């Protein structure tokens, strides 16, 4: 080897290993504004500790911190003694007749019978997630504020408000402290200041106390008697009094308010009640004793950054940090090049996930944990026909596997009521959950057939359980949590699928989510059932158990009607070839097999992938927030980075629309929360997953680097993404070409790594890592 070759290798080695050790984020990762928020939905900024979500407005004269706790709900058994999870006993007796009508082509009659008989009851007892209340904090005030800034620092996981008044500096810092189950609001000023704090709740107040410097509000959701308490503990160098229902603080340079909140809800069928919420709050407050604000903040940073800083994304140039985020967003839509905003958008979802979904908390709901209403859109519930799943799409790939856990605990609580629903509506074994679900085990079809019928919800959720295993290779999780959930969900499909005239197994009756009509059967059901049974087969192999069940699952999987290509080259949404090429409905359910499923891939089923592309093109590039986000992922799986990027740009279209719109106005509010409209968190999460999917894919038994890199991302770097099989991956690229990658194995395994037409087999022990150059040659 010549000296110059050795030098070259060293240079390359240095460049690539260097990317793996230096800090690559080239920006501050902040959302910031030069004025207070006026609107909750579009402008206020979200913080959370997993259990609670809060939104702050940042008013100088009066701060408003709206908050809730994830389990605070109306509806359920407390609202009526007849509450029965939506079940209609014996509804299954109609299934045979519906099947016959479908077979005879009498779809109108079939639809009518299904609408009358296969719908859930309890519309009035479904309930809705509830805001708990607001803190209004008035600040002694004179003069005209200057240097005003309201921001959210994603690197630190905290919000802040700062300004100058009469030459004195004021700074507020807010964050959710997950390890302590506490929300922390710190007010600091260079001069002594006075504050007056009012706690308000739309709910019935049972008592209000101020004892030993702790304020507590005990209340109740009137409609179902759910009890709750929120307490405020103060730490200040000023003087604290309780006068006329308000906390008054005078002469304070420093004030920290610690807030806790809990309800008597328990995630336990059938009563969902009985938690000792008062003791929980007491314990959380007691654990703060002896801790200074600084110590609490340090613990928060450690906890938060341990998750957040695992992934870095650098898309190249960024010179827009000095522009307020609202302006940044509108200028982006006007064509200003702003890759930094895309990085923020990606990392914001990770921030939101860490802030709202941690072990022991309720899972993310339609608005994460941020809801300011007693009657929120779609009840702010768990919507299982795309939304709940999308909320968790980025969890594994963006290295937040721990944040995925709440959904599994939640799924476990659905099995029992879900089995009853399966029995009464379909006379099958197994568990189901349909479109709308509340935390009181409502697993039945919704009370409207056209939107509410979707028994595949459980099977779809089970994909997440399998994926958590697949990404982490945690066999005890597979054995104890994932497999029992999956197997029980699979039983439903084994019983429910019926043979059609050609001997295929089909889902009948079925209804392609919110699009319909009634069918025998919808492609999405077939794809989801296939995915579940396929995962069950693999799980049984990994665990070396249940051979008999595995044989049955294999036979059933192989007999399911495979994805069909229709008349105009489209992927059929139904068994019947009736897709309309002019239809641009937001649900693109029949492409499940492309993403998040893996039954269709460009490499292994190119004709089906082509048909999926035809369908996708005909559906167009419009849609609600989550629909745009789903399309980012579809195009990424089709390896078309530029088209994925186009959809990402659409997701970042500024919106101020708070009303309900189903057609074409999806985008982002100035606080970067996703506009369905109205606000729904799924679009944020789906968009983040889409960005990851453009940079790394691993669903097909290989790790593919930069599978859908758009032209505009000329050079950049991502660190810490996770691939299935337990690999943590850093990738660097330049001139739109791979420069190098670092792959670390957590679980010890062999896997092919692919970039364009090159493939290299990586074989690593657990904890080992490897560096590859742009030719996929080993450097280390
Ligand atoms: C599904 C969608 C709607 C909305 C709702 C919460 O039903 O069809 O667009 O996102 O969930």
């Amino acid at each position: 080897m010549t000296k110059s070759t050795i030098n070259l290798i060293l240079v390359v080695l240095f460049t690539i290993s260097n990317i793996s050790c230096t800090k690559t984020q080239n920006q501050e990762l902040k959302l910031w504004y030069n004025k207070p928020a006026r609107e909750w939905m579009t402008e206020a900024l979200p913080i959370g500790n997993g259990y609670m979500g809060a939104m702050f407005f940042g008013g100088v004269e009066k701060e408003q911190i709206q908050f809730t706790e994830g389990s605070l709900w109306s509806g359920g058994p407390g609202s009526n003694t007849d509450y029965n999870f939506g079940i209609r006993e014996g509804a299954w007796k109609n299934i045979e007749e519906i099947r016959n009508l479908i077979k005879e082509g009498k779809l109108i009659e079939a639809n009518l019978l299904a609408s009358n008989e296969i719908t859930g009851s309890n519309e009035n007892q479904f309930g809705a997630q509830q805001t708990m209340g607001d803190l209004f904090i008035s600040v002694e005030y004179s003069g005209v504020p200057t240097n005003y800034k309201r921001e959210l620092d994603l690197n630190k996981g905290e919000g802040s408000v700062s300004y100058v008044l009469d030459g004195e500096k004021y700074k507020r810092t807010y964050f959710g402290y997950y390890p302590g189950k506490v929300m922390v609001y710190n007010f600091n000023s260079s001069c002594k200041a006075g504050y007056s704090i009012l706690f308000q709740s739309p709910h019935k107040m049972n008592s209000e106390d101020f004892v030993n410097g702790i304020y507590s509000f005990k209340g109740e959701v009137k409609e179902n008697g759910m009890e709750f308490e929120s307490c405020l503990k103060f730490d200040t160098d000023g003087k604290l009094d309780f006068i006329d229902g308000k906390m008054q603080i005078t002469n304070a340079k420093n004030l920290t308010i610690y807030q806790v909140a809990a309800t008597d809800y328990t995630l336990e069928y059938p009563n969902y009640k009985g938690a000792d919420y008062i003791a929980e709050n007491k314990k959380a407050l007691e654990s703060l004793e002896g801790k200074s604000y600084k110590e609490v903040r340090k613990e928060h940073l450690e906890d938060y950054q341990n998750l957040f800083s695992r992934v870095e994304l650098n898309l190249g140039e960024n010179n827009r940090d000095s522009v307020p985020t609202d302006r940044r967003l509108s200028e982006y839509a006007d064509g200003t090049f702003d890759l930094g905003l895309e990085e923020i958008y990606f990392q914001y979802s990770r921030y939101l996930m860490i802030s709202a979904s941690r072990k022991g908390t309720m899972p993310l709901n339609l608005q994460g944990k941020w809801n300011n209403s007693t009657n929120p859109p779609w009840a702010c519930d768990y919507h299982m026909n795309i939304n709940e799943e999308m909320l968790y799409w980025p969890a594994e790939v963006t290295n937040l596997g721990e944040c995925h856990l709440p959904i599994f605990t939640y799924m476990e609580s659905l099995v029992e009521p879900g089995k009853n629903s399966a029995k009464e509506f379909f006379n099958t074994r197994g568990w189901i959950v349909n479109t709308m679900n509340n935390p009181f085990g409502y697993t039945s079809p919704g009370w409207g057939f056209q939107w509410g019928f979707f028994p595949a919800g459980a099977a779809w959720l089970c994909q997440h359980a399998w994926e958590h295993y697949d990404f982490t290779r945690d066999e005890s999780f597979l054995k104890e949590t994932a497999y029992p959930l999956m197997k029980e969900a699979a039983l439903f499909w084994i019983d429910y699928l019926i043979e059609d005239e050609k001997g295929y197994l089909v889902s009948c009756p079925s209804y392609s989510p919110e699009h319909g009509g009634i069918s025998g059967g919808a492609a999405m059901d077939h794809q989801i059932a296939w995915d579940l049974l396929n995962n069950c087969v693999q799980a049984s192999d990994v665990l070396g158990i249940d051979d008999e069940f595995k044989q049955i699952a294999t036979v059933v999987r192989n007999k399911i009607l495979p994805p069909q290509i229709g008349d105009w080259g489209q992927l059929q949404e139904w068994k019947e070839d009736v897709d309309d090429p002019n239809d641009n409905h937001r649900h693109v359910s029949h492409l499940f097999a492309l993403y998040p499923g893996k039954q269709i891939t460009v490499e292994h089923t190119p004709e089906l992938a082509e048909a999926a592309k035809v369908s996708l093109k005909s559906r167009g590039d419009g849609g609600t927030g989550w629909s745009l986000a789903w399309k980012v992922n579809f195009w990424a799986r089709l390896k078309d980075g530029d088209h994925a990027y186009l959809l990402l740009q659409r997701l970042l279209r500024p919106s101020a629309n708070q009303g309900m719109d189903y057609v074409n106005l999806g985008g982002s509010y100035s606080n970067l929360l996703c506009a369905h409209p109205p606000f729904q968190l799924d679009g944020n999460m789906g968009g983040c997953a889409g960005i990851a999917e453009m940079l790394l894919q691993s669903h097909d038994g290989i790790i593919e680097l930069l599978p859908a890199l758009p032209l505009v991302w000329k050079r950049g770097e991502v660190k810490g993404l996770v691939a299935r099989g337990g690999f943590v991956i850093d990738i660097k690229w330049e001139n739109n070409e791979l420069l190098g990658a670092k792959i670390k194995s957590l679980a010890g395994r062999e896997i092919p790594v692919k970039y364009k037409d090159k493939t290299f087999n990586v074989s690593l022990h657990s904890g080992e890592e490897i560096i590859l150059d742009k030719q996929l040659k080993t450097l280390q």
Side-chain angles (χ1 to χ4, degrees):
M1 207 184 286
T2 64
K3 204 171 166 199
S4 62
T5 324
I6 295 173
N7 275 346
L8 187 70
I9 292 176
L10 284 176
V11 169
V12 174
L13 235 169
F14 174 76
T15 328
I16 292 165
S17 51
N18 204 27
I19 57 161
S20 314
C21 337
T22 51
K23 185 118 186 101
T24 57
Q25 224 112 248
N26 68 349
Q27 61 158 328
E28 291 188 306
L29 287 183
K30 284 179 180 169
L31 282 73
W32 78 271
Y33 307 83
N34 53 21
K35 51 184 179 305
R38 281 153 310 178
E39 297 292 332
W40 179 89
M41 186 179 295
T42 61
E43 296 178 331
L45 292 173
I47 51 175
N49 66 9
Y51 303 90
M52 295 174 68
M55 294 276 262
F56 68 95
F57 286 66
V60 170
E61 194 174 355
K62 195 183 222 178
E63 177 61 280
Q64 179 178 359
I65 302 176
Q66 179 280 326
F67 60 91
T68 189
E69 200 277 343
S71 67
L72 191 71
W73 266 73
S74 59
S79 66
N80 195 313
T81 45
D82 305 337
Y83 178 80
N84 67 346
F85 319 92
I87 286 173
R88 282 207 209 192
E89 276 174 36
W92 62 270
K93 291 180 187 140
N94 299 283
I95 293 289
E96 177 126 20
E97 194 179 339
I98 295 171
R99 285 180 171 161
N100 288 335
L101 289 168
I102 292 175
K103 241 183 243 163
E104 291 162 22
K106 297 183 177 159
L107 297 181
I108 294 174
E109 291 82 348
N111 190 68
L112 190 68
L113 188 57
S115 301
N116 288 337
E117 304 296 341
I118 315 293
T119 42
S121 57
N122 297 126
E123 174 175 355
N124 299 327
Q125 295 146 36
F126 184 84
Q129 214 278 324
Q130 302 286 301
T131 176
M132 195 175 269
D134 292 85
L135 289 179
F136 291 99
I137 302 153
S138 303
V139 187
E140 225 174 39
Y141 178 88
S142 73
V144 179
T146 56
N147 295 36
Y148 179 89
K149 209 168 193 186
R150 174 171 64 96
E151 65 180 34
L152 202 56
D153 183 335
L154 305 183
N155 275 318
K156 293 192 175 140
E158 57 189 33
S160 66
V161 180
S162 56
Y163 51 91
V164 174
L165 261 185
D166 274 347
E168 304 286 354
K169 286 186 182 156
Y170 292 75
K171 169 116 190 194
R172 308 172 192 165
T173 308
Y174 308 145
F175 56 90
Y177 169 52
Y178 165 71
K181 277 190 168 182
V182 181
M183 296 300 296
V184 182
Y185 317 117
N186 176 263
F187 293 73
N188 194 281
S189 49
S190 57
C191 64
K192 290 186 171 172
Y195 302 90
S196 133
I197 301 164
L198 181 65
F199 182 104
Q200 269 189 2
S201 171
H203 299 292
K204 184 176 159 218
M205 179 171 73
N206 287 339
S207 70
E208 187 183 34
D209 291 304
F210 187 78
V211 181
N212 297 333
I214 293 178
Y215 169 84
S216 67
F217 179 101
K218 289 188 184 55
E220 183 179 321
V221 179
K222 223 167 150 192
E223 187 265 346
N224 65 357
M226 183 182 284
E227 292 172 21
F228 69 90
E229 180 194 55
S230 183
C231 309
L232 305 174
K233 179 182 155 91
F234 301 88
D235 186 0
T236 178
D237 56 355
K239 186 169 174 294
L240 173 66
D241 295 293
F242 186 61
I243 304 164
D244 294 338
K246 280 187 186 170
M247 281 67 56
Q248 310 274 13
I249 289 100
T250 41
N251 287 324
K253 281 190 162 177
N254 213 328
L255 163 67
T256 307
I257 305 170
Y258 296 102
Q259 183 183 23
V260 296
T263 74
D264 70 355
Y265 173 85
T266 48
L267 186 53
E268 233 171 82
Y269 173 85
N271 296 320
Y272 303 96
K273 201 175 173 72
D276 192 348
Y277 59 104
I278 296 175
E280 275 174 39
N281 281 341
K282 194 162 169 259
K283 195 170 145 216
L285 289 178
E286 278 170 4
S287 68
L288 288 170
E289 265 162 36
K291 268 189 201 157
S292 66
Y293 165 68
K294 267 194 180 158
E295 284 163 335
V296 168
R297 187 165 175 223
K298 189 164 164 269
E299 282 179 26
H300 153 67
L301 283 173
E302 272 166 20
D303 168 69
Y304 174 79
Q305 289 177 337
N306 169 40
L307 293 165
F308 185 77
S309 59
R310 291 174 184 175
V311 172
E312 292 180 21
L313 176 66
N314 178 359
L315 294 175
E317 267 164 64
N318 171 51
N319 51 15
R320 308 271 302 154
D321 280 353
S322 58
V323 180
T325 308
D326 43 353
R327 219 177 86 205
R328 216 169 159 173
L329 186 68
S330 62
E331 291 178 357
Y332 179 85
D334 293 339
T336 304
F337 198 63
D338 191 353
L339 301 171
L341 185 66
E342 293 160 13
E343 294 168 16
I344 290 180
Y345 190 74
F346 171 81
Q347 293 287 23
Y348 188 37
S349 296
R350 300 186 64 248
Y351 162 82
L352 292 163
M353 172 90 70
I354 301 168
S355 304
S357 185
R358 302 293 299 273
K359 190 171 181 199
T361 71
M362 296 297 284
L364 296 170
N365 60 43
L366 281 175
Q367 296 176 192
K369 291 272 158 70
W370 296 280
N371 165 31
N372 69 337
S373 169
T374 51
N375 182 22
W378 296 286
C380 194
D381 71 350
Y382 307 100
H383 244 68
M384 305 301 192
N385 66 0
I386 173 65
N387 320 89
E388 189 65 25
E389 293 85 359
M390 185 180 282
L391 284 165
Y392 282 101
W393 283 353
E396 301 295 335
V397 64
T398 77
N399 219 331
L400 296 176
E402 294 91 329
C403 296
H404 213 168
L405 299 176
I407 192 67
F408 307 129
T409 312
Y410 189 72
M411 284 159 68
E412 287 175 325
S413 82
L414 294 179
V415 172
E416 237 178 305
K419 276 163 89 170
N420 295 339
S421 294
K423 187 103 216 88
E424 292 303 331
F425 282 94
F426 303 105
N427 198 25
T428 63
R429 296 170 297 166
W431 73 283
I432 56 168
V433 60
N434 285 265
T435 310
M436 281 186 79
N437 162 256
N438 65 12
F440 308 110
Y442 189 102
T443 44
S444 300
W447 45 97
F449 182 70
Q450 278 72 3
W451 55 262
F453 184 86
F454 186 63
W460 193 345
L461 288 174
C462 283
Q463 186 190 54
H464 285 251
W466 167 255
E467 297 262 318
H468 182 69
Y469 158 73
D470 204 12
F471 275 91
T472 58
R473 296 289 153 147
D474 178 348
E475 274 187 36
S476 67
F477 170 81
L478 181 64
K479 187 164 176 225
E480 274 135 44
T481 307
Y483 188 66
L485 287 166
M486 290 161 61
K487 182 177 174 186
E488 197 62 45
L491 291 175
F492 169 76
W493 291 99
I494 290 170
D495 290 357
Y496 186 64
L497 295 167
I498 52 167
E499 250 182 42
D500 73 358
E501 57 295 341
K502 291 190 184 145
Y504 286 119
L505 289 177
V506 291
S507 169
C508 182
S510 63
Y511 203 92
S512 196
E514 304 190 42
H515 190 204
I518 195 164
S519 169
M524 181 183 239
D525 275 11
H526 302 153
Q527 297 169 8
I528 289 179
W530 186 94
D531 190 81
L532 173 61
L533 293 165
N534 191 49
N535 293 339
C536 283
V537 171
Q538 289 185 60
S540 140
D541 278 341
V542 173
L543 298 172
I545 55 168
D546 249 0
D547 201 49
E548 202 181 318
F549 176 74
K550 181 185 136 186
Q551 302 309 329
I552 297 169
T554 308
V555 171
V556 174
R557 178 197 64 189
N558 295 346
K559 263 183 87 175
I560 293 176
L561 179 70
Q564 302 289 301
I565 299 175
D567 207 26
W568 44 281
Q570 87 283 14
L571 196 72
Q572 287 178 210
E573 184 163 353
W574 305 273
K575 172 174 148 57
E576 306 84 9
D577 186 0
V578 293
D579 305 79
D580 173 0
N582 297 316
D583 178 359
N584 53 16
H585 196 270
R586 63 192 183 286
H587 282 268
V588 202
S589 307
H590 47 315
L591 267 57
F592 171 93
L594 180 65
Y595 188 97
K598 51 195 175 202
Q599 198 179 356
I600 297 180
T601 64
V602 173
E603 284 76 16
H604 292 116
T605 58
E607 296 84 16
L608 292 173
E610 195 47 44
K613 193 186 275 185
V614 170
S615 293
L616 198 51
K617 277 192 180 152
S618 86
R619 280 289 164 91
D621 295 327
T624 55
W626 61 259
S627 179
L628 298 173
W630 201 353
K631 290 170 185 170
V632 176
N633 289 276
F634 288 140
W635 284 110
R637 284 272 171 105
L638 289 170
K639 314 283 168 78
D640 187 337
D642 288 334
H643 210 136
Y645 185 76
L646 182 112
L647 268 306
L648 180 63
Q649 285 184 307
R650 293 197 154 210
L651 204 47
L652 278 160
R653 274 183 311 199
S655 171
N657 185 357
Q658 304 190 30
M660 210 170 274
D661 193 307
Y662 282 96
V663 187
N664 235 343
L665 285 168
S668 298
Y669 298 124
S670 70
N671 54 14
L672 298 189
L673 291 175
C674 184
H676 173 287
F679 161 45
Q680 251 178 240
L681 194 70
D682 43 17
N684 288 91
M685 296 304 184
C688 172
I691 292 173
E693 207 63 24
M694 289 157 82
L695 299 171
L696 174 77
Q697 292 179 20
S698 66
H699 55 283
D700 205 12
I702 60 166
I703 291 174
E704 185 167 0
L705 307 174
L706 307 178
L709 191 67
L711 257 183
V712 287
W713 293 350
K714 284 199 171 37
R715 65 182 182 86
E717 182 177 7
V718 66
K719 286 180 170 187
L721 291 184
V722 183
R724 290 168 186 80
F727 296 95
V728 181
I729 298 183
D730 302 351
I731 312 171
K732 190 168 183 172
W733 67 95
E734 212 163 82
N735 298 324
N736 296 97
E737 294 284 334
L738 177 73
L739 199 62
K742 186 170 100 173
I743 300 176
K744 180 174 180 175
S745 169
L746 303 177
R749 239 194 110 204
E750 270 186 42
I751 194 154
V753 176
K754 182 177 175 223
Y755 172 65
K756 293 195 172 163
D757 54 358
K758 296 187 190 68
T759 307
F760 176 77
N761 267 333
V762 164
S763 174
L764 294 170
H765 295 296
S766 161
E768 244 186 340
E769 60 185 45
I770 191 171
I771 294 181
L772 302 175
D773 71 4
K774 57 181 164 191
Q775 305 294 337
L776 297 189
K777 299 251 165 58
T778 324
L779 284 181
Q780 202 174 291

